[in-house]
Every structure is written in C-alpha cells, then in structure tokens.
Amino acid sequence: MALELFNTLTRRRELFEPLEPRKAGLYTCGPTVYNYQHVGNYRTYVFEDVLVRTLKFLEYEVRRVMNITDVGHLTSQADEGEDKMEVGAAREGKTAWDIAKFYTEAFLRDCAELNILPPDILCKATDHIEEQQGLIRRLETAGYIYMISDGLYFDTSKFNGYGRLMGADHIGGLKAGARVEANPQKKNPTDFAVWKFSPKGKKRQMEWDSPWGAGFPGWHVECSAMAMKYLGETFDIHCGGVDHIPIHHTNEIAQSEGATKKVFARLWMHGEFLLMNQAKMAKSEGGFVKLSDLKERGFEPLDYRYHCFTAHYRKQLDFTWESLESSKTARRRLREAALAVKDEPLRFACADHEKAFRAALEDDLNMPGALAAVWDCVKSNVPSGSKRAILQRAENLLGLGLFKADVPSELPPELQQLLDRRAKARADKNFKEADVLRRDLEINGILVEDTKAGQKWRRR
Ligand code: AMP
Ligand code: ZN
C-alpha cells in the first residue's frame, strides 16, 4: 500500500512520489489578515493539517511553508479596487500594520485551538519584498512583463499552456469573467499585475521603492517568491481552497515557470468549500461564522475539527448547527471511549483496524473512512489495551483531544459547593441526600458520575 493523492493538475489520483525519498515539501496558501478567518477558511487549513499529519504518520519528513498575506490582495480579482489591508485599516481606524498584526495573532490562536500543527516556516509578504522584486526582474528579462499606467503586468499570451490547472473547458469562462472588470490597457483579459504603482498624489501606508516606481507587489507574486525561497524552484505539493484554482494558482504557475523554465509544484491539491445556505461561506457574503461564534454557542473548536472529518476534502460540506451538534455528540462519545481505556495496560494494536485506518488515509485522505475504522475498533470486542493502542495512534492523526479529560477547576464556586456537599453525603453513606444534590447539579447543566476514583462531572 502507498499514499495516493488527487492531483488537480492531471485530474487524476497519483501515487505520491516526492523529489527526495521520504521527504515532503509543501506550500499552503495562508490567510489575508485584514479580518477574522471564518470556519470555511479553517476547513481548508484542517484539510492541510490532515495532509501534514498523514505524511508524518507515513514517516515522511515534512517541511511545510505557509504565507501570511499582509499586503497586495485587492478587493477585486481583476487587480482593481482597494488593498484589503487598507480597507481593514479604514474600518477600524488603525494602521494597516496594526491590522495585520492583530489578525495574524487571532489566526494563530484559532489554529492552535483547532490543533492545526504550526507550519515549519510562516512567512509574511511584507518581509519578502526583495525576493518578489527579484522574481519580477527575472520575468522582465525573460520578456513576460509590460508596463501600463497602474503597474507592471504579466503577459499571459506569452506563457505556453496558461491555465492548464483549470482544464481547457474553463479558460473561456475565465476570460469572459475577467473581461467584465478588465482594465482596457491590458493586452489580454487574463493578464495580471506583478507590481502595482501607488496611486498618483496619494501615499499608501504600505509601499516600497522599486526600479519601476513606488508601489507594492501583486498578490500572486508573494507565493511564488516565498515558495521558491523556502522549498526550491521545484517542490512536491502546493495546496489551497478550490477558489484558488482559476486565478491565484494559475498565475503562480505562469510566473514561476516563466521565470525558471522548470516545473513549479508537482502536485496541486485543493479543498472543497464549506457551504452555508447553499453558497460558499465567504466574508463578502455576510453569512459567515467565526470560531468564537461556535464557542459562544457551547461548541469546542475540536467539535468543528471532527465535523470537518465527516466529509471527504474534495466534497462540499454543509454547515448547519444541527450537523455540528451531531459532530459534537460523536466526538464526546469517542472521547469517552478513549478515556475509558486510557489507563489500561497497552497491548498490540489489532492489525485489522490499524490496516483499515491506514488504508483510508492512503486513499486520498479519506477521513470519513479513517473515522469509521476507529469507530469499528471502539465498538468491537478487542481487548481494552488494544483499543487504547489504536486510539492513541489515531489521535496523533486526528488531533481531537481524545485523551484530555475536562478540567474540573472550571466549575463556578456555588456549583463546586454542591459537588463538595455531595461528596460528603456519599462518604457519610447518605445516598438520599446525594441523589437530591445530583439532581440540583443536573438542573444547572452538570452531569455527575460516580467512579472508583470518586465523582466525575461534565457539562451537559
Ligand atoms: P483567504 O483569506 O480569502 O485568502 O482564504 C484563506 C483560505 O481559505 C484559502 O485557501 C481559501 O481557498 C479558503 N477558503 C475560503 N473560503 C472557503 C470556504 N467557504 N470553504 C473552504 N475553504 C475556503
Ligand atoms: Zn498563495
């Protein structure tokens, strides 16, 4: 058995064969830090985390690079409109730099709560202006660049095979879409900016000198420049959400391969959307849910992580509060099963369940299948020590906090008092009183269970 992954570029599943044996280099497009990320964005980051953990599980040495887009991502995909960072700054009366810092920190906190492993390299676009200008100079020398009034553009007609990531059927649609907002000075509707000039007579908060005039890099340039810096001109895997296929990733390929004449990323993987009310969850659509909204409704971030595993990453997933509730219940039950065997002496993991779990991962990261294998094991009659072995191995991949018990010290003092009185009543063998107190706690949403180690409680 070996790892098979779906490659958007070839439109088929391929055996994963890295450039260097047992090593995997990955570039995953990161957030634009002008606002909070929504749980739709986090679906993509969780999928990428599963990829990283799967590679590690299969004993690859992983190097993962993620960028932070803190300049140059404009409100329109056609290189028009305002910089999202400056929009955020105007909205909140802060500098673009403060906005970037604030939302980068918020993003990293959310990722930690979702148990998304930190990337090996986290790099900001604004820290890599020199590298981006270097790439633009290479493209200029190679003859791909022309200048118009608002910036330097990449001539897509000069790049053989432009748009091959989308497939031939889509390129017509892209051209038509781009035409709606097209800058009439562009030579082709699909041409894109690699360097934008600061507007005349206006000083931008984020701008840099360049041989062509003061301004800022186009959004796509940052990912090409930083991926090559940290992973080399050719590397193994590039990921993002499906919305990046037609423009962002298509343009990354054109400018990277235009400059180096080498294959850029060998395998392209894209996560499907999280939907809300039958549409892509998006900041611009208004109806979006943040991680903090889930917590306010009594969900833990890891309940949402479990929810992401209920659909294959290449299938759309609906977000509803009812379905999240089922994922919460399922995660709680799995956690109870893990805590029940936590202290059992370890035994050999049962080969069948372990094989099924691994086979699901190798089957293009089939997480519903991997979860099913874990559930089969939990429900089977294999010895508890073997269940513990499987659950521990699975938890390294799932990252669902299965072996973490509730922290009792979080109870408010008045409820803690009830709990203490109940412990005393039981010690005094006053079971009637203990039952009354159990009901009092239950009314307050606290369920009490008596174990050999004493009372245990959890929130309903
Ligand atoms: P952005 O901050 O808009 O650049 O998006 C960050 C990541 O989230 C990108 O990889 C997007 O493709 C992805 N993304 C955006 N919206 C969704 C969604 N509704 N479901 C899943 N992924 C998304
Ligand atoms: Zn990118």
Side-chain angles (χ1 to χ4, degrees):
M1 288 293 280
L3 178 61
E4 285 194 358
L5 299 169
F6 185 88
N7 188 351
T8 309
L9 195 60
T10 56
R11 272 161 277 282
R12 58 185 174 78
R13 283 155 64 114
E14 292 173 3
L15 197 63
F16 176 59
E17 285 176 311
L19 279 170
E20 279 185 67
R22 309 315 306 168
K23 288 193 176 174
L26 255 90
Y27 188 89
T28 57
C29 287
T32 307
V33 285
Y34 72 111
N35 203 335
Y36 291 106
Q37 293 276 289
H38 53 67
V39 292
N41 301 127
Y42 288 118
R43 179 177 186 209
T44 294
Y45 302 121
V46 167
F47 137 62
E48 292 161 351
D49 187 56
V50 165
L51 173 62
V52 167
R53 286 176 187 252
T54 298
L55 290 164
K56 291 187 173 181
F57 186 88
L58 300 174
E59 293 169 29
Y60 288 92
E61 193 186 309
V62 181
R63 179 173 169 89
R64 179 193 183 183
V65 180
M66 184 194 261
N67 65 305
I68 296 283
T69 299
D70 55 356
V71 68
H73 193 170
L74 304 186
T75 48
S76 144
Q77 293 271 32
D79 296 314
E80 306 278 331
E82 286 181 87
D83 189 321
K84 292 187 178 186
M85 297 311 302
E86 307 233 350
V87 172
R91 183 186 64 227
E92 298 184 25
K94 294 182 187 162
T95 68
W97 298 98
D98 287 341
I99 291 288
K101 184 167 184 290
F102 180 85
Y103 288 110
T104 302
E105 283 167 6
F107 168 70
L108 296 176
R109 266 198 310 274
D110 283 354
C111 285
E113 289 199 274
L114 284 164
N115 264 347
I116 293 171
L117 298 175
D120 302 281
I121 291 167
L122 187 71
C123 42
K124 294 196 273 180
T126 52
D127 285 342
H128 296 79
I129 299 298
E130 224 179 282
E131 288 83 350
Q132 296 178 72
Q133 292 188 351
L135 178 63
I136 299 169
R137 271 198 299 274
R138 276 176 88 174
L139 288 171
E140 209 177 15
T141 311
Y144 287 103
I145 301 296
Y146 64 95
M147 188 188 292
I148 58 177
S149 61
D150 69 349
L152 297 186
Y153 281 75
F154 183 98
D155 185 343
T156 51
S157 69
K158 295 210 168 138
F159 182 71
N160 227 336
Y162 179 78
R164 68 175 190 277
L165 189 63
M166 287 180 274
D169 335 340
H170 292 89
I171 194 119
L174 173 68
K175 280 188 177 157
R179 213 173 288 133
V180 179
E181 307 176 86
N183 178 335
Q185 295 175 38
K186 287 205 291 191
K187 291 188 185 169
N188 309 285
T190 45
D191 292 356
F192 56 91
V194 290
W195 187 263
K196 290 273 292 192
F197 300 136
S198 296
K200 289 208 169 55
K202 192 177 157 213
K203 183 149 177 58
R204 277 173 50 94
Q205 292 187 33
M206 291 174 154
E207 64 176 22
W208 294 265
D209 282 338
S210 84
W212 316 283
F216 58 98
W219 171 37
H220 320 300
V221 181
E222 70 175 87
C223 287
S224 293
M226 295 194 282
M228 287 194 230
K229 171 167 180 172
Y230 294 111
L231 295 168
E233 293 184 345
T234 302
F235 58 92
D236 297 308
I237 310 179
H238 196 314
C239 303
V242 285
D243 52 337
H244 283 346
I245 299 173
I247 300 179
H248 184 51
H249 289 167
T250 287
N251 293 345
E252 274 188 50
I253 292 177
Q255 65 199 357
S256 307
E257 300 190 355
T260 65
K261 312 288 180 221
K262 292 180 194 158
V263 170
F264 179 47
R266 302 170 78 218
L267 178 63
W268 287 82
M269 294 180 70
H270 293 96
E272 253 299 350
F273 288 145
L274 181 77
L275 304 181
M276 193 166 183
N277 307 323
Q278 277 96 51
K280 172 196 174 198
M281 186 180 281
K283 272 167 254 181
S284 48
E285 304 302 318
F288 74 89
V289 176
K290 302 189 295 294
L291 205 61
S292 56
D293 299 326
L294 299 191
K295 290 194 276 181
E296 269 170 31
R297 292 220 190 187
F299 294 98
E300 289 181 33
L302 296 182
D303 296 332
Y304 178 66
R305 187 176 164 97
Y306 188 104
H307 192 58
C308 292
F309 299 162
T310 60
H312 188 265
Y313 77 90
R314 293 186 59 235
K315 295 244 160 68
Q316 296 186 330
L317 173 64
D318 269 322
F319 180 88
T320 62
W321 293 104
E322 296 75 46
S323 56
L324 188 60
E325 195 65 56
S326 331
S327 294
K328 177 182 176 172
T329 306
R331 175 175 164 255
R332 179 169 56 72
R333 295 210 176 114
L334 198 56
R335 199 156 145 239
E336 280 165 2
L339 291 172
V341 298
K342 187 170 171 251
D343 301 317
E344 295 289 332
L346 261 182
R347 297 179 58 151
F348 284 116
C350 38
D352 284 352
H353 294 125
E354 179 147 46
K355 214 166 119 195
F357 183 74
R358 184 185 167 116
L361 296 175
E362 290 180 332
D363 176 19
D364 193 26
L365 315 179
N366 174 4
M367 290 309 284
L371 271 186
V374 174
W375 276 111
D376 276 351
C377 172
V378 165
K379 290 179 183 158
S380 72
N381 51 11
V382 302
S384 302
S386 301
K387 286 188 184 171
R388 178 183 163 197
I390 293 270
L391 280 162
Q392 274 181 350
R393 285 214 77 193
E395 171 61 9
N396 285 340
L397 196 121
L398 301 171
L400 288 170
L402 296 181
F403 289 93
K404 284 213 179 98
D406 281 326
V407 191
S409 59
E410 279 173 15
L411 263 192
E414 62 281 9
L415 296 184
Q416 186 61 48
Q417 240 177 32
L418 290 182
L419 204 64
D420 294 344
R421 273 171 53 200
R422 187 170 180 277
K424 182 163 186 313
R426 276 182 58 82
D428 296 340
K429 304 220 178 311
N430 187 348
F431 296 115
K432 220 169 155 190
E433 164 87 345
D435 273 350
V436 172
L437 287 163
R438 178 206 291 280
R439 269 196 297 279
D440 288 350
L441 283 156
E442 201 176 324
I443 289 164
N444 285 289
I446 303 299
L447 305 179
V448 186
E449 210 185 300
D450 295 308
T451 70
K452 276 183 222 144
Q455 307 183 107
K456 273 199 180 152
W457 65 271
R458 65 179 165 84
R459 294 204 163 81
R460 182 164 37 207

